[in-house]
């Protein structure tokens, strides 16, 4: 099912933008739900799912440690 999900960023990208995270969350929710765009009666659930996945993704990226990667700017200050 998930073989066609594209990597949205390389593993050692020092800065990830909110747009990247939301794009990944939207791609995931579309894949799992089977809908490119939800019907009006499903819009709220769809949007909540995208928000929840985006939040989880942001937490994941904030907590990941990539060995050998340059330190993030906020860690070097």
């Amino acid at each position: 099912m998930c073989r066609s999900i594209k990597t949205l960023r390389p593993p050692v990208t020092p800065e990830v933008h909110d747009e990247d995270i939301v794009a990944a969350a939207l791609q995931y929710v579309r894949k799992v739900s089977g809908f490119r765009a939800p019907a009006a009666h499903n819009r709220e659930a769809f949007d909540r799912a995208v928000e929840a996945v985006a939040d989880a993704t942001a937490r994941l990226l904030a907590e990941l440690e990539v060995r050998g990667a340059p330190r993030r700017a906020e860690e070097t200050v």
Side-chain angles (χ1 to χ4, degrees):
M1 172 171 112
C2 293
R3 282 178 272 164
S4 65
I5 291 180
K6 297 178 248 167
T7 301
L8 297 178
R9 67 179 202 83
V12 188
T13 301
E15 187 176 322
V16 178
H17 299 98
D18 290 340
E19 298 84 29
D20 298 324
I21 293 171
V22 172
L26 181 58
Q27 184 178 4
Y28 175 80
V29 171
R30 284 175 172 168
K31 177 64 86 173
V32 170
S33 70
F35 297 108
R36 175 153 173 40
H41 62 277
N42 288 326
R43 169 58 70 187
E44 193 173 319
F46 192 91
D47 290 345
R48 273 195 313 268
V50 171
E51 185 177 334
V53 171
D55 290 345
T57 301
R59 280 193 310 276
L60 170 67
L61 294 176
E63 295 174 10
L64 284 178
E65 177 184 329
V66 180
R67 294 187 177 166
R71 295 184 69 171
R72 292 186 211 155
E74 67 270 9
E75 293 177 353
T76 59
V77 174

